[in-house]
Structure formats: C-alpha cells, structure tokens
Coordinates of all heavy atoms in Angstrom, one line a residue:
A1 N 0.9 -1.2 0.0 CA 0.0 0.0 0.0 C 0.9 1.2 0.0 O 1.6 1.5 1.0 CB -0.9 0.0 1.2
I2 N 0.9 2.0 -1.1 CA 1.7 3.2 -1.2 C 1.0 4.3 -0.6 O 0.1 4.9 -1.2 CB 2.1 3.5 -2.7 CG1 2.7 2.2 -3.3 CG2 3.0 4.7 -2.8 CD1 2.9 2.3 -4.8
L3 N 1.2 4.5 0.7 CA 0.5 5.4 1.5 C 1.0 6.9 1.4 O 2.2 7.1 1.7 CB 0.5 5.0 3.0 CG 0.1 3.6 3.3 CD1 0.3 3.2 4.8 CD2 -1.4 3.3 2.9
F4 N 0.1 7.8 1.1 CA 0.5 9.2 1.2 C 0.3 9.6 2.6 O -0.2 8.9 3.5 CB -0.3 10.0 0.2 CG 0.3 10.0 -1.2 CD1 0.3 8.8 -1.9 CD2 0.8 11.1 -1.8 CE1 0.9 8.7 -3.2 CE2 1.4 11.1 -3.0 CZ 1.5 9.9 -3.8
N5 N 0.7 10.9 2.9 CA 0.6 11.4 4.3 C -0.8 11.1 4.9 O -1.8 11.5 4.3 CB 0.9 12.8 4.4 CG 2.3 13.2 3.9 OD1 2.6 13.0 2.7 ND2 3.2 13.6 4.8
H6 N -0.8 10.5 6.1 CA -2.0 10.2 6.8 C -1.8 10.5 8.3 O -0.8 10.1 8.8 CB -2.5 8.8 6.5 CG -1.5 7.8 6.7 ND1 -0.4 7.6 5.9 CD2 -1.4 6.8 7.7 CE1 0.3 6.5 6.3 NE2 -0.3 6.1 7.4
E7 N -2.7 11.2 8.9 CA -2.6 11.6 10.2 C -3.8 11.2 11.1 O -4.8 10.6 10.5 CB -2.5 13.2 10.3 CG -1.6 13.8 9.2 CD -0.1 13.3 9.3 OE1 0.3 13.2 10.5 OE2 0.5 13.1 8.3
S8 N -3.8 11.5 12.4 CA -4.9 11.1 13.3 C -4.5 11.7 14.6 O -3.4 12.1 14.9 CB -5.1 9.6 13.3 OG -4.1 9.0 14.1
P9 N -5.5 11.6 15.6 CA -5.2 12.0 16.9 C -4.1 11.1 17.6 O -3.5 11.5 18.6 CB -6.5 11.8 17.7 CG -7.5 12.0 16.6 CD -6.9 11.4 15.4
R10 N -3.8 10.0 17.0 CA -2.8 9.1 17.5 C -1.4 9.3 16.9 O -0.5 8.6 17.2 CB -3.2 7.6 17.2 CG -4.6 7.3 17.9 CD -5.0 5.9 17.5 NE -6.4 5.7 18.0 CZ -7.1 4.6 17.8 NH1 -6.6 3.6 17.1 NH2 -8.4 4.5 18.2
R11 N -1.3 10.3 16.1 CA 0.0 10.6 15.5 C 1.0 11.1 16.5 O 0.6 11.8 17.5 CB -0.2 11.7 14.4 CG 1.0 12.1 13.7 CD 1.8 10.9 13.1 NE 1.6 10.8 11.6 CZ 2.1 9.8 10.9 NH1 2.8 8.9 11.5 NH2 2.0 9.7 9.6
G12 N 2.3 10.8 16.4 CA 3.3 11.2 17.3 C 3.6 12.7 17.2 O 3.4 13.3 16.2
L13 N 4.1 13.3 18.3 CA 4.4 14.7 18.3 C 5.5 15.2 17.4 O 5.7 16.3 17.2 CB 4.7 15.1 19.8 CG 3.5 15.1 20.7 CD1 4.0 15.3 22.2 CD2 2.5 16.3 20.3
S14 N 6.3 14.2 16.9 CA 7.4 14.6 16.0 C 6.9 15.0 14.6 O 7.6 15.5 13.8 CB 8.4 13.5 15.9 OG 7.8 12.3 15.3
F15 N 5.6 14.7 14.3 CA 5.1 15.0 13.0 C 4.4 16.4 13.0 O 3.8 16.8 14.0 CB 4.0 13.9 12.6 CG 4.7 12.6 12.2 CD1 5.1 11.8 13.2 CD2 4.9 12.2 10.9 CE1 5.7 10.5 12.9 CE2 5.5 11.0 10.6 CZ 5.9 10.2 11.6
I16 N 4.5 17.1 11.9 CA 4.1 18.5 11.9 C 2.7 18.7 12.2 O 2.3 19.7 12.8 CB 4.5 19.1 10.5 CG1 4.4 20.7 10.7 CG2 3.7 18.6 9.4 CD1 5.1 21.4 9.6
T17 N 1.8 17.8 11.7 CA 0.3 18.1 12.0 C 0.1 18.0 13.5 O -0.6 18.9 14.0 CB -0.5 17.0 11.2 OG1 0.0 15.7 11.5 CG2 -0.5 17.3 9.7
R18 N 0.6 17.0 14.1 CA 0.3 16.9 15.6 C 1.1 18.0 16.3 O 0.6 18.5 17.4 CB 0.8 15.5 16.0 CG 0.5 15.2 17.5 CD -0.9 14.9 17.8 NE -1.2 15.0 19.3 CZ -0.7 14.1 20.1 NH1 0.0 13.0 19.7 NH2 -0.9 14.2 21.4
K19 N 2.2 18.4 15.8 CA 3.0 19.4 16.4 C 2.2 20.7 16.4 O 2.1 21.5 17.4 CB 4.3 19.7 15.7 CG 5.3 20.6 16.3 CD 6.5 20.8 15.5 CE 7.3 19.5 15.5 NZ 8.6 19.6 14.7
I20 N 1.4 20.9 15.3 CA 0.6 22.2 15.2 C -0.6 22.1 16.2 O -0.9 23.0 16.9 CB 0.1 22.3 13.8 CG1 1.3 22.7 12.9 CG2 -1.0 23.4 13.7 CD1 1.0 22.6 11.4
T21 N -1.3 21.0 16.2 CA -2.5 20.9 17.0 C -2.1 20.9 18.5 O -2.8 21.5 19.3 CB -3.3 19.6 16.7 OG1 -2.5 18.4 17.0 CG2 -3.8 19.6 15.3
H22 N -1.1 20.3 18.8 CA -0.6 20.3 20.2 C -0.2 21.7 20.7 O -0.6 22.2 21.8 CB 0.6 19.3 20.4 CG 1.1 19.2 21.8 ND1 2.2 19.8 22.2 CD2 0.7 18.5 22.8 CE1 2.5 19.5 23.5 NE2 1.5 18.7 23.9
A23 N 0.5 22.4 19.8 CA 1.0 23.8 20.1 C -0.2 24.7 20.2 O -0.3 25.6 21.1 CB 2.0 24.3 19.1
A24 N -1.2 24.6 19.3 CA -2.4 25.4 19.3 C -3.1 25.3 20.6 O -3.6 26.3 21.2 CB -3.3 25.1 18.1
V25 N -3.3 24.1 21.1 CA -3.9 23.8 22.4 C -3.2 24.5 23.5 O -3.7 25.1 24.4 CB -4.1 22.3 22.6 CG1 -4.5 22.1 24.1 CG2 -5.2 21.8 21.7
N26 N -1.8 24.3 23.5 CA -1.0 24.9 24.6 C -1.1 26.4 24.6 O -1.1 27.1 25.6 CB 0.4 24.5 24.4 CG 0.7 23.1 25.0 OD1 -0.2 22.5 25.7 ND2 1.8 22.5 24.6
I27 N -1.2 27.0 23.4 CA -1.3 28.5 23.3 C -2.7 28.9 23.8 O -2.8 29.9 24.5 CB -1.1 28.9 21.8 CG1 0.4 28.7 21.5 CG2 -1.5 30.4 21.6 CD1 0.7 28.9 20.0
K28 N -3.7 28.1 23.5 CA -5.0 28.4 23.9 C -5.1 28.4 25.5 O -5.8 29.3 26.1 CB -6.0 27.4 23.3 CG -7.5 27.6 23.8 CD -8.1 28.9 23.3 CE -9.6 29.0 23.6 NZ -10.2 30.2 23.1
L29 N -4.4 27.5 26.1 CA -4.4 27.3 27.5 C -3.4 28.2 28.2 O -3.3 28.1 29.5 CB -4.2 25.9 27.9 CG -5.3 24.9 27.4 CD1 -4.9 23.4 27.7 CD2 -6.7 25.2 27.9
G30 N -2.7 29.0 27.5 CA -1.7 29.9 28.1 C -0.4 29.2 28.5 O 0.4 29.7 29.2
L31 N -0.2 28.0 27.9 CA 1.0 27.2 28.3 C 2.2 27.5 27.3 O 3.3 27.0 27.5 CB 0.7 25.7 28.3 CG -0.4 25.3 29.2 CD1 -0.7 23.8 29.1 CD2 0.0 25.6 30.7
A32 N 1.9 28.2 26.2 CA 2.9 28.6 25.2 C 2.5 29.9 24.6 O 1.3 30.3 24.6 CB 3.1 27.5 24.2
Q33 N 3.4 30.6 23.9 CA 3.2 31.9 23.4 C 3.2 31.9 21.8 O 2.5 32.6 21.2 CB 4.2 32.9 23.9 CG 3.9 33.4 25.3 CD 4.3 32.3 26.3 OE1 5.4 31.7 26.3 NE2 3.3 32.0 27.2
E34 N 4.0 31.0 21.2 CA 4.1 31.0 19.8 C 4.6 29.6 19.3 O 5.0 28.7 20.1 CB 5.1 32.0 19.3 CG 6.6 31.8 19.7 CD 7.5 32.7 19.0 OE1 7.1 33.8 18.5 OE2 8.7 32.4 19.0

C-alpha cells in the first residue's frame, strides 16, 4: 500500500500536523506563546 501522508489524533508529536494541534492547544491554555 503506497500510503500518502496520513494523520490522526494518534500521530506522534514529531510529525508536523500533531505538532501544530498540540501547540495550538497549549497556546489556547496559556502554556505557550508561539
């Protein structure tokens, strides 16, 4: 199966999609600035 990029809530934090969603939540909660 020649898989193109695929993501999910179970994706590791080293991947850019999860890095973005994780950072967005931290910013929303005041745990990060940028």
